[in-house]
Amino acid sequence: MAQGVAAVWVPVTDMQRAVAFYRDTLGLEVAHEGDDWSEIDGGGLRIGLNAREDAKPASDGGAVITFQPDGSIEDEIATLKERGADIEGSVSEHPWGRIMPFKDSEGNDLQYYTPPQG
């Protein structure tokens, strides 16, 4: 049996660019930074950045790291855009909450999520 999630890791081709995205664009704390492996503190969950020359994000699905925004999704997306993130699409509304997908600097899938109001 699993005791819990130790870390979630994503492939990156440019470690410095990836660390900068998670630190400067998303505003998360870097717990460890190295050439081949870096760790980001995702609020109690470690996000590992795994450097590989042939790293490619899955274009047909795969893991998605979902973040809880500090403010509204719209405000957080505006901040990401101000910080240079490439944001496509729009917020989608669902009975289970609202999501806004975006990508990190390496093309990995991320999203903001807020639960339904009420």
Side-chain angles (χ1 to χ4, degrees):
M1 294 288 298
Q3 295 180 2
V5 177
V8 173
W9 66 267
V10 294
V12 303
T13 55
D14 185 323
M15 184 61 73
Q16 290 181 334
R17 178 179 63 201
V19 168
F21 177 86
Y22 284 87
R23 180 191 60 226
D24 302 335
T25 304
L26 287 179
L28 298 173
E29 183 179 326
V30 177
H32 168 77
E33 186 172 352
D35 293 337
D36 296 325
W37 178 263
S38 294
E39 290 184 2
I40 307 300
D41 181 352
L45 174 70
R46 294 290 179 172
I47 300 170
L49 306 178
N50 184 20
R52 298 185 301 174
E53 288 181 20
D54 63 346
K56 294 181 184 140
S59 62
D60 59 349
V64 176
I65 301 174
T66 302
F67 297 97
Q68 298 171 324
D70 284 332
S72 72
I73 288 179
E74 290 81 6
D75 289 345
E76 297 303 323
I77 291 299
T79 299
L80 290 180
K81 286 181 180 179
E82 289 172 8
R83 293 178 179 172
D86 184 17
I87 308 294
E88 296 179 12
S90 60
V91 176
S92 60
E93 307 275 345
H94 306 275
W96 40 265
R98 303 174 75 220
I99 62 168
M100 176 61 200
F102 59 99
K103 295 196 181 281
D104 71 7
S105 62
E106 308 304 294
N108 295 297
D109 291 323
L110 307 175
Q111 66 183 12
Y112 277 130
Y113 164 77
T114 56
Q117 299 290 327

Short mmCIF file of all heavy atoms in Angstrom, two decimals, residues 5 54 67 72 88 93:
data_model
loop_
_atom_site.label_atom_id
_atom_site.label_comp_id
_atom_site.label_asym_id
_atom_site.label_seq_id
_atom_site.Cartn_x
_atom_site.Cartn_y
_atom_site.Cartn_z
N VAL A 5 1.80 10.53 -1.39
CA VAL A 5 2.56 10.98 -2.55
C VAL A 5 3.83 11.65 -2.06
O VAL A 5 3.79 12.61 -1.29
CB VAL A 5 1.73 11.98 -3.40
CG1 VAL A 5 2.55 12.49 -4.57
CG2 VAL A 5 0.45 11.32 -3.89
N ASP A 54 16.16 14.60 -23.76
CA ASP A 54 15.08 14.22 -24.66
C ASP A 54 13.71 14.40 -24.02
O ASP A 54 12.73 13.81 -24.43
CB ASP A 54 15.24 12.77 -25.12
CG ASP A 54 15.15 11.79 -23.96
OD1 ASP A 54 15.24 12.21 -22.78
OD2 ASP A 54 15.00 10.58 -24.22
N PHE A 67 -3.07 23.78 -9.28
CA PHE A 67 -2.76 24.72 -8.21
C PHE A 67 -4.02 25.43 -7.73
O PHE A 67 -4.93 25.69 -8.53
CB PHE A 67 -1.76 25.78 -8.69
CG PHE A 67 -0.43 25.22 -9.07
CD1 PHE A 67 -0.13 24.94 -10.39
CD2 PHE A 67 0.53 24.98 -8.09
CE1 PHE A 67 1.10 24.43 -10.75
CE2 PHE A 67 1.77 24.46 -8.44
CZ PHE A 67 2.05 24.19 -9.77
N SER A 72 -8.60 35.22 -7.19
CA SER A 72 -9.47 34.64 -8.21
C SER A 72 -8.62 34.08 -9.35
O SER A 72 -7.48 34.51 -9.56
CB SER A 72 -10.43 35.70 -8.77
OG SER A 72 -9.73 36.61 -9.60
N GLU A 88 -3.24 30.29 -23.02
CA GLU A 88 -4.20 30.13 -24.10
C GLU A 88 -5.50 29.61 -23.50
O GLU A 88 -5.50 28.94 -22.48
CB GLU A 88 -3.69 29.14 -25.15
CG GLU A 88 -2.44 29.62 -25.84
CD GLU A 88 -1.93 28.62 -26.87
OE1 GLU A 88 -2.66 27.68 -27.21
OE2 GLU A 88 -0.79 28.80 -27.31
N GLU A 93 -16.19 26.47 -16.66
CA GLU A 93 -17.07 26.30 -15.51
C GLU A 93 -17.64 24.88 -15.53
O GLU A 93 -18.08 24.40 -16.57
CB GLU A 93 -18.24 27.29 -15.60
CG GLU A 93 -17.83 28.74 -15.78
CD GLU A 93 -17.51 29.44 -14.48
OE1 GLU A 93 -17.89 28.90 -13.41
OE2 GLU A 93 -16.90 30.50 -14.53
#
